[in-house]
């Protein structure tokens, strides 16, 4: 039924009757997604998932079952499944899930092709000559011989992981592995197993023991990305591991030591989270030994054009197009845009422009519509009805900038007008890349 239904919806589908046949077909046909039931005759869908990923680590696996419990969902995800669906399955919804999995597979393949060489060579060069980015590079250089924990903060898309890789590449741990985990990507149960590992039989689906990321990163660097999103119930366990320099795998009564350089990254204000009891204070001081702030793209001036040229060269080579430079009008447009998505958004815009370019110079018309239409306005200028709606952070930054201008940079007066403490104002000034005169 699934073969006929999905084929009618445009998918090229091949059905297998056993685990052995499935593994052979994976090698022969290199499929883009695998769909398996959880309960099979004499075999388990979790076994299919694990064995398939051993053959093809990039292959997304979608598991379906009539037994839709949280326990089975967690077991499937722990086994490496991309997604989990319960029966009865509606074909349109299943097709959407499969299309999403296929899109991710193709995206991962493309990213791997473009960047694998860069990762292997350890190229962690930060592009830019602005004062704020030179300050970041200087801080990285000063930490060259240090083993101190570093908290890397900055807006989403500013390049916090690239900074983390640069810290690793220049550290005493540079010959060890660099391991990163996104703390926002999984619930506490999965995160504990991911970080600390587990023993065989620790939970449903744990058919073999697995080392956690702390042990996998031994002798190298571990990056806890989006640490501000870590579930509260997981934070004391992480704190104990950092204090003891030991982890206890899930289901084990034995502790395992590790030697890693810890880095943490966040786009949230952890100090405010501590005040609001959303993040443990003791853990905050443990990870915030050295604070490295990554500036937003809008604060980096002509670095925008240097980065744009870098991405232009990268996507020109990928697409085989003879696009060499930016037109003056396009460069002006890039400098006037606020870039709420930061470097990630700039890369996306240049990739789009290269794909659409008809000549050897990128023009304004090649840029995405939102970049062409939105200009950086002065703080007092109202937004036109036709312009893109701005984020709350952008509005707040503009308002603070306007107040600072009104009081001629006096931070005491600015904090009073804004109705916030001086300490909060200083954090926001640092976050938004603003400055004011000393009182």
């Amino acid at each position: 039924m699934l073969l006929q239904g999905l084929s009618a919806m445009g998918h090229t589908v091949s059905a297998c009757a056993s685990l052995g046949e499935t593994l052979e077909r994976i090698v022969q046909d290199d499929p883009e997604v695998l769909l398996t039931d959880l309960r099979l005759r004499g075999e388990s869908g979790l076994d299919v998932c694990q064995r398939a990923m051993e053959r093809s680590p990039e292959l997304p696996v979608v598991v379906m079952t009539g037994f839709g419990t949280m326990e089975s969902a967690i077991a499937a995800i722990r086994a490496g499944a991309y997604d989990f669906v319960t029966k009865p399955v509606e074909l349109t919804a299943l097709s959407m899930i499969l299309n999403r999995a296929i899109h991710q597979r193709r995206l991962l393949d493309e990213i791997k092709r473009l960047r694998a060489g860069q990762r292997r060579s350890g190229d962690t060069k930060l592009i830019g000559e602005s004062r704020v980015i030179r300050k970041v590079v200087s801080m990285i250089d000063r930490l060259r011989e240090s083993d101190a924990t570093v908290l890397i903060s900055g807006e989403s898309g500013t390049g916090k992981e690239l900074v983390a890789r640069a810290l690793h590449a220049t550290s005493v741990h540079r010959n060890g592995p660099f391991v990163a985990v996104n703390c926002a990507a999984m619930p506490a149960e999965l995160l504990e197993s991911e970080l600390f590992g587990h023993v065989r039989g620790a939970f449903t689906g744990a058919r073999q023991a697995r080392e956690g990321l702390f042990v996998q990163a031994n002798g190298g660097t571990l990056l806890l990305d989006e640490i501000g999103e870590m579930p509260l119930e997981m934070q004391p366990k992480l704190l104990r591991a950092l204090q003891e320099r030991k982890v206890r795998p899930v289901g084990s009564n034995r502790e395992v030591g590790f030697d890693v350089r810890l880095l943490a990254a966040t786009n949230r204000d952890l100090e405010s989270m501590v005040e609001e009891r959303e993040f443990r204070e003791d853990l905050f001081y443990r990870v915030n030994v050295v604070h490295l702030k990554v500036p937003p793209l809008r604060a980096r001036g002509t670095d925008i054009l240097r980065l744009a040229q870098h991405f232009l060269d990268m996507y020109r080579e990928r697409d085989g197009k003879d696009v060499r430079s930016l037109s003056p009008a396009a460069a002006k447009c890039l400098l006037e845009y606020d870039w709420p998505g930061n470097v990630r958004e700039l890369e996306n815009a240049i990739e789009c422009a290269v794909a659409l370019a008809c000549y050897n110079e990128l023009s304004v018309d090649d840029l995405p519509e939102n970049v062409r239409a939105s200009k950086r306005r002065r703080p007092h200028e109202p937004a036109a009805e036709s312009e893109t709606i701005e984020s709350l952070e952008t509005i707040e930054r503009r308002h603070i900038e306007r107040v600072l201008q009104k009081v001629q940079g006096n931070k005491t007066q600015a904090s009073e007008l804004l109705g916030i403490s001086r300490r909060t104002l200083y954090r926001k000034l640092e976050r938004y890349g603003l400055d004011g005169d000393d009182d």
Side-chain angles (χ1 to χ4, degrees):
M1 181 272 290
L2 285 173
L3 188 149
Q4 293 175 356
L6 293 173
S7 297
M9 299 182 77
H11 295 281
T12 302
V13 188
S14 177
C16 301
S18 68
L19 174 58
E21 183 184 353
T22 300
L23 298 178
E24 290 179 4
R25 194 70 61 84
I26 288 172
V27 175
Q28 294 173 0
D29 299 343
D30 189 24
E32 292 187 299
V33 63
L34 172 65
L35 175 65
T36 178
D37 208 330
L38 184 60
R39 298 198 175 186
L40 307 170
R41 290 183 180 178
E43 295 170 338
S44 166
L46 297 180
D47 291 332
V48 173
C49 181
Q50 291 173 334
R51 295 288 300 281
M53 293 191 66
E54 289 174 3
R55 294 289 180 94
S56 178
E58 305 296 332
L59 177 64
V61 180
V62 177
V63 177
M64 63 178 185
T65 179
F67 302 87
T69 65
M70 179 57 69
E71 182 180 355
S72 57
I74 290 176
I77 295 173
R78 276 176 167 152
Y82 168 78
D83 209 341
F84 178 90
V85 292
T86 56
K87 297 187 290 188
V89 178
E90 203 278 315
L91 275 178
T92 302
L94 178 58
S95 178
M96 291 176 62
I97 292 173
L98 296 177
N99 281 328
R100 191 167 65 244
I102 291 169
H103 175 73
Q104 174 173 292
R105 168 68 186 273
R106 292 174 179 173
L107 184 63
L108 288 174
D109 287 345
E110 186 63 24
I111 292 173
K112 184 178 180 180
R113 186 180 74 82
L114 285 171
R115 298 180 177 175
Q118 178 178 350
R119 296 301 190 210
R120 285 195 298 269
S121 66
D123 183 6
T124 55
K125 179 177 174 58
L126 298 176
I127 298 171
E129 297 295 333
S130 63
R131 179 181 59 83
V132 289
I133 205 65
R134 288 202 307 269
K135 184 177 179 181
V136 172
V137 173
S138 174
M139 180 71 79
I140 292 172
D141 187 63
R142 290 167 64 185
L143 292 168
R144 182 180 296 272
E145 301 301 325
S146 175
D147 205 30
T149 301
V150 180
L151 176 63
I152 307 167
S153 67
E155 297 177 13
S156 180
T158 51
K160 295 186 289 295
E161 183 172 342
L162 185 61
V163 170
R165 290 182 178 275
L167 283 165
H168 170 70
T170 57
S171 73
V172 295
H173 293 283
R174 57 185 169 272
N175 294 324
F178 177 89
V179 179
V181 57
N182 188 335
C183 299
M186 57 191 75
E189 301 91 339
L190 287 177
L191 185 58
E192 182 177 3
S193 173
E194 190 77 6
L195 290 176
F196 303 154
H198 61 255
V199 298
R200 181 179 179 182
F203 46 77
T204 304
R207 289 172 170 77
Q208 57 185 10
R210 180 184 177 187
E211 286 185 339
L213 296 183
F214 272 101
V215 176
Q216 291 179 31
N218 200 45
T221 302
L222 176 63
L223 169 64
L224 299 179
D225 199 8
E226 303 296 351
I227 193 171
E229 307 296 333
M230 177 175 286
L232 273 172
E233 60 267 33
M234 183 63 200
Q235 293 180 23
K237 298 176 183 179
L238 173 62
L239 178 64
R240 178 177 176 81
L242 297 179
Q243 290 173 334
E244 303 294 331
R245 311 300 288 181
K246 295 179 181 178
V247 294
R248 178 173 295 177
V250 177
S252 174
N253 56 9
R254 182 176 62 89
E255 292 185 328
V256 181
F258 62 86
D259 174 27
V260 301
R261 194 319 177 51
L262 183 75
L263 306 176
T266 182
N267 61 3
R268 302 188 63 181
D269 185 346
L270 292 189
E271 285 192 69
S272 295
M273 293 182 66
V274 169
E275 293 173 1
E276 296 168 7
R277 299 186 181 277
E278 295 178 355
F279 196 86
R280 289 181 62 103
E281 184 176 22
D282 44 8
L283 180 59
F284 170 72
Y285 289 118
R286 177 65 62 176
V287 300
N288 188 34
V289 177
V290 177
H291 185 192
L292 201 163
K293 173 74 174 179
V294 184
L297 184 57
R298 60 181 170 271
R300 294 178 57 179
T302 54
D303 281 355
I304 294 172
L305 300 184
R306 293 184 178 90
L307 286 163
Q309 185 65 46
H310 168 73
F311 294 134
L312 190 155
D313 294 340
M314 184 171 71
Y315 288 111
R316 176 191 69 213
E317 181 179 348
R318 185 196 73 176
D319 294 350
K321 302 189 72 170
D322 187 23
V323 185
R324 297 291 172 179
S325 61
L326 297 160
S327 71
K332 183 175 183 294
C333 189
L334 294 180
L335 289 173
E336 290 177 341
Y337 184 56
D338 247 345
W339 300 110
N342 293 294
V343 180
R344 186 182 296 125
E345 184 183 8
L346 175 61
E347 179 178 358
N348 180 271
I350 298 301
E351 181 182 11
C352 170
V354 171
L356 297 175
C358 298
Y359 305 102
N360 60 5
E361 188 177 68
L362 286 187
S363 68
V364 173
D365 291 337
D366 297 326
L367 298 173
E369 193 278 333
N370 64 310
V371 177
R372 299 196 308 267
S374 255
K375 302 291 186 180
R376 179 178 293 161
R377 297 186 307 277
R378 295 177 182 176
H380 64 272
E381 291 180 341
E385 290 185 5
S386 61
E387 291 191 60
T388 304
I389 296 176
E390 296 177 323
S391 68
L392 185 59
E393 285 190 354
T394 300
I395 295 171
E396 182 181 56
R397 182 182 67 84
R398 293 191 187 282
H399 183 58
I400 292 174
E401 188 175 18
R402 182 181 180 185
V403 170
L404 282 171
Q405 288 180 347
K406 183 177 179 65
V407 299
Q408 299 181 337
N410 188 293
K411 294 172 184 173
T412 299
Q413 294 180 28
S415 63
E416 291 174 355
L417 285 173
L418 291 167
I420 58 178
S421 67
R422 281 170 54 89
R423 181 181 179 186
T424 300
L425 176 60
Y426 275 107
R427 286 205 306 269
K428 291 183 181 293
L429 291 177
E430 182 183 5
R431 179 177 183 179
Y432 295 136
L434 299 174
D435 196 7
D437 296 335
D438 291 334
D439 297 346

